[in-house]
Amino acid sequence: MRTRLTFWLLAVFIAWTGAAQAQASLSRAIDQWLQGEDEQSLNTLAELARNGVSDARLLLGRIETKDLGPSPYRMSLSKMETRALFRDVSGHGLFGRTWMSVEAALDNELARIFLRAAQPVPRLGLIERLNRLGEHEATDHPVRIVALYGNSEMLAELYAADFLMPDLIPYLDYLSGPPEPRADGLSALRYITSSTSKEVSSEDPETMGIAGLLSLGFGYGDHSAENRWRPAVEDWLLSTPSTQPIADLCNAECGDDAGGCAAAFLALSGGYYEVIRVDSPLEKLIPQEVFLASPRARLMTLRRAALARSETNMTWLADRDGIAEFSECAADLIVSERQKYLHD
């Protein structure tokens, strides 16, 4: 009897030690990832995922699809290497299985909700559940789906909900309000300037110019610093929590030109509705405020801009002059970052 008890205690100790070691490895990998050290962090997460660590699987699955600024290391990988890094490739076909689907099959509630949240089906209950589980930023896509495809009752309920992220209110406003030219950009401008008494009118050319920029970003609308709305937009970019990585990057690197730098990153992100999407991939492990203050968030912001390709048929590297119209400092930062992705 004593021998059995000894073996049982030893098994418990080994299991506990293994779990503690896995948790320590996961914490180190998260810290490394937040510092921008992709090669070591992602490979550690992949090893933990293969060894059955659920949180590593969830985080790796979210990073695979939610990293808006892939590093030079990640971009250098072949398709097979990428699949081996981010997926379960242990005999599940050419493309493997995402770790999110693996966890969902094991009845992991959060994995199942993440997969449902990616579907183009309006579900108010899903948004509420994500918030209840602490994954507030993951509600971005399902909120937009409700705004696009939900009926008037769903929209009214979403407006009244206490779990609606304020930054997404303009999205609901322009889809549910009266039709007007460039309504998406005008709604964003109204939200940004809501604390002022300035009138936002579609009859005003300057207003429509900045609305085009807020709507679609680089190559659209009025990019000029003389537009009377630019100071308000720049102030918002440098002060709102959602764009903290832009503010931190531009304040640190561009000094007095921080406002122009911020406007450049807004433009290259694709406008208002894209610039607010730099988020923690998994708030269960990385709270949003921790992520936004991290080197990773600033790198994601910079890399996203550096990797942006214009939709106006200008080549990737030839856009430097266009960026410089916003900010010479931002143009230098972006061109310098682009060089890291060029290979012989």
Side-chain angles (χ1 to χ4, degrees):
M1 182 70 176
R2 184 175 299 174
T3 301
R4 290 182 181 177
L5 178 61
T6 300
F7 277 120
W8 181 82
L9 290 173
L10 180 60
V12 170
F13 175 75
I14 292 173
W16 179 85
T17 301
Q21 290 175 341
Q23 185 59 47
S25 294
L26 177 61
S27 296
R28 283 195 299 273
I30 290 172
D31 289 341
Q32 290 165 346
W33 187 78
L34 287 172
Q35 291 298 317
E37 299 170 11
D38 266 17
E39 184 170 3
Q40 189 166 356
S41 65
L42 293 178
N43 280 284
T44 298
L45 288 173
E47 182 179 358
L48 290 170
R50 289 190 291 269
N51 288 333
V53 179
S54 177
D55 282 346
R57 290 174 170 183
L58 291 178
L59 180 56
L60 201 60
R62 293 288 286 173
I63 290 173
E64 180 184 11
T65 59
K66 299 301 177 183
D67 186 354
L68 301 177
S71 65
Y73 166 72
R74 184 172 170 182
M75 295 286 282
S76 72
L77 299 175
S78 68
K79 290 181 180 179
M80 291 185 62
E81 289 170 332
T82 299
R83 287 194 289 270
L85 184 64
F86 283 102
R87 300 187 176 195
D88 175 16
V89 292
S90 56
H92 294 288
L94 179 62
F95 300 104
R97 289 194 301 169
T98 67
W99 287 118
M100 201 65 68
S101 64
V102 172
E103 283 295 303
L106 295 172
D107 207 28
N108 184 310
E109 180 187 14
L110 193 51
R112 287 189 286 107
I113 292 174
F114 277 139
L115 290 177
R116 292 185 71 198
Q119 297 171 353
V121 180
R123 296 185 176 107
L124 280 175
L126 185 67
I127 299 169
E128 187 172 6
R129 288 175 71 190
L130 281 167
N131 276 283
R132 177 169 51 81
L133 292 168
E135 298 297 331
H136 310 290
E137 303 305 319
T139 65
D140 181 287
H141 183 259
V143 165
R144 296 181 194 227
I145 292 300
V146 169
L148 280 169
Y149 304 123
N151 56 37
S152 57
E153 289 78 13
M154 294 181 75
L155 286 171
E157 189 174 344
L158 186 55
Y159 265 118
D162 59 5
F163 51 74
L164 175 62
M165 291 192 295
D167 285 351
L168 288 174
I169 290 176
Y171 202 76
L172 273 66
D173 286 347
Y174 100 80
L175 288 172
S176 59
E180 60 182 338
R182 191 53 64 208
D184 50 353
L186 292 174
S187 292
L189 183 59
R190 290 185 181 112
Y191 175 74
I192 289 170
T193 61
S194 59
S195 62
T196 72
S197 58
K198 293 182 179 180
E199 180 184 3
V200 176
S201 170
S202 60
E203 301 297 322
D204 175 60
E206 273 192 296
T207 302
M208 293 303 292
I210 204 72
L213 177 64
L214 291 170
S215 172
L216 296 168
F218 190 69
Y220 299 89
D222 182 3
H223 296 178
S224 71
E226 289 72 31
N227 187 297
R228 72 176 187 279
W229 296 105
R230 270 286 293 273
V233 171
E234 291 177 5
D235 287 346
W236 177 80
L237 288 165
L238 294 174
S239 62
T240 194
S242 296
T243 57
Q244 180 185 342
I246 287 178
D248 289 346
L249 177 64
C250 291
N251 282 322
E253 300 293 339
C254 297
D256 292 341
D257 191 27
C261 168
F265 282 105
L266 164 74
L268 285 167
S269 296
Y272 171 88
Y273 298 98
E274 294 298 318
V275 81
I276 61 174
R277 294 182 59 216
V278 178
D279 300 319
S280 167
L282 186 61
E283 292 177 89
K284 174 185 179 182
L285 299 180
I286 307 171
Q288 177 72 347
E289 62 272 16
V290 172
F291 175 76
L292 289 176
S294 70
R296 163 66 60 177
R298 296 190 289 278
L299 280 170
M300 189 180 293
T301 295
L302 177 57
R303 289 167 175 169
R304 187 186 193 189
L307 293 170
R309 282 166 170 77
S310 173
E311 294 179 2
T312 53
N313 295 321
M314 290 183 285
T315 61
W316 187 42
L317 290 176
D319 286 341
R320 197 264 178 212
D321 291 342
I323 301 168
E325 291 180 13
F326 290 94
S327 163
E328 289 281 351
C329 178
D332 289 342
L333 288 173
I334 290 166
V335 169
S336 176
E337 189 67 20
R338 284 175 175 171
Q339 301 302 317
K340 299 175 184 177
Y341 292 85
L342 301 178
H343 304 286
D344 296 331

